[in-house]
Amino acid sequence: MIKAEHIDVSFRKENQETVFGKERQQVLFDVSFDVKEGECLGILGESGSGKSTLGRVLCGLLKPDKGSVELEGLPLIGRGRKRGKTVISVVFQDYTTSANPRFRVRDLIGESFLVREKRERIRLDRETELEKLLELVGLDMGYSERFPHELSGGQLQRVCIARAIAVNPRIILFDEAISSLDAHTQVQVMDLLKEIQEKRKLTYLFITHDLTSVTYLCSRVLFLYQGKVAEIRDVEDIAKVTHPYAKKLLESVMDFDRIPELEADKKDGWEQAV
């Protein structure tokens, strides 16, 4: 469904001596991969690895210096793009700034209805569609009249997910979409995303720095290190990674998972000493 080939991206360096300085800093280096229809590809990397920049390229918000992105065989940018029917939606990390504080929930989602009506040249029964979408994300119509500040973080992110689905996309890109939520809410939202993906037959791109969430939600994972693809693995084979960066990430999660075990050992030792 998605094919990215030899993507290079660079930006003009800041703090140059003159405003006409041409020195640039490269962020992505020869990035190539593909995404199959119906899968969830995790794009994993630390801060500064270039994963959000890659997300902007995949959404068509940023034109790469070199390389290309195709959606179902058609170019994302440039000639032939208008013939494509593949729609990508985005769910951002900061749900507070991505939702207009003066809009009620019905208005936030209603913006997406307007976009869909113009694109598909149809007239939606907006009230019925709104009720269906809120139900899909685990909310009732009572939430439709609330403002963003009247919702919890998890509820507002559910609204943002509903807004992304309202344009009837084939692909949804999640850019650190759960990292601002507490651990319990993260699991709830990921379970919701799994359910929605199955019901709507969607393809997901899941950008994150958290390996644990990738293994919970994704079918494959792309390790992005210093702007380069370090390794791509099926999640079920993630223990077979060979790149040093991927190994380091995996080992850090394994160590973290052992903390309860280590704490239990310490407690047993203390009780024996007493």
Side-chain angles (χ1 to χ4, degrees), residues 23-187:
E23 191 176 356
R24 300 181 70 83
Q25 179 177 350
Q26 191 159 346
V27 178
L28 295 177
F29 302 81
D30 196 29
V31 173
S32 297
F33 62 95
D34 58 58
V35 184
K36 301 172 185 176
E37 184 174 2
E39 80 166 327
C40 177
L41 176 69
I43 300 175
L44 182 70
E46 59 193 357
S47 297
S49 62
K51 58 187 186 297
S52 290
T53 299
L54 178 58
R56 291 170 62 194
V57 172
L58 296 174
C59 291
L61 298 175
L62 177 65
K63 185 177 181 180
D65 300 338
K66 295 180 181 178
S68 63
V69 178
E70 292 183 354
L71 301 182
E72 296 187 311
L74 295 176
L76 178 64
I77 298 175
R79 186 178 299 175
R81 178 66 191 101
K82 292 183 179 180
R83 298 195 305 271
K85 296 181 180 180
T86 306
V87 177
I88 299 180
S89 268
V90 185
V91 179
F92 298 99
Q93 173 184 6
D94 192 348
Y95 42 81
T96 56
T97 57
S98 65
N100 191 324
R102 298 183 178 181
F103 279 19
R104 298 180 188 273
V105 167
R106 66 166 55 254
D107 301 317
L108 292 170
I109 299 175
E111 287 184 308
S112 293
F113 289 150
L114 180 61
V115 171
R116 181 182 172 187
E117 287 175 335
K118 287 184 177 180
R119 189 186 72 250
E120 298 182 3
R121 298 181 181 179
I122 59 173
R123 188 73 176 177
L124 293 171
D125 181 346
R126 295 193 181 185
E127 201 69 11
T128 300
E129 289 294 319
L130 176 62
E131 185 174 5
K132 287 180 180 178
L133 281 172
L134 289 176
E135 182 181 354
L136 182 66
V137 298
L139 301 174
D140 59 49
M141 278 295 282
Y143 288 91
S144 66
E145 299 302 324
R146 296 190 186 185
F147 290 97
H149 72 270
E150 297 176 311
L151 303 173
S152 68
Q155 290 168 346
L156 184 52
Q157 194 63 304
R158 286 170 186 262
V159 171
C160 292
I161 292 168
R163 179 178 60 182
I165 298 170
V167 297
N168 196 26
R170 298 282 304 284
I171 303 164
I172 301 181
L173 185 146
F174 301 91
D175 188 1
E176 298 279 11
I178 65 169
S179 63
S180 298
L181 304 174
D182 62 77
H184 179 66
T185 307
Q186 284 184 3
V187 174

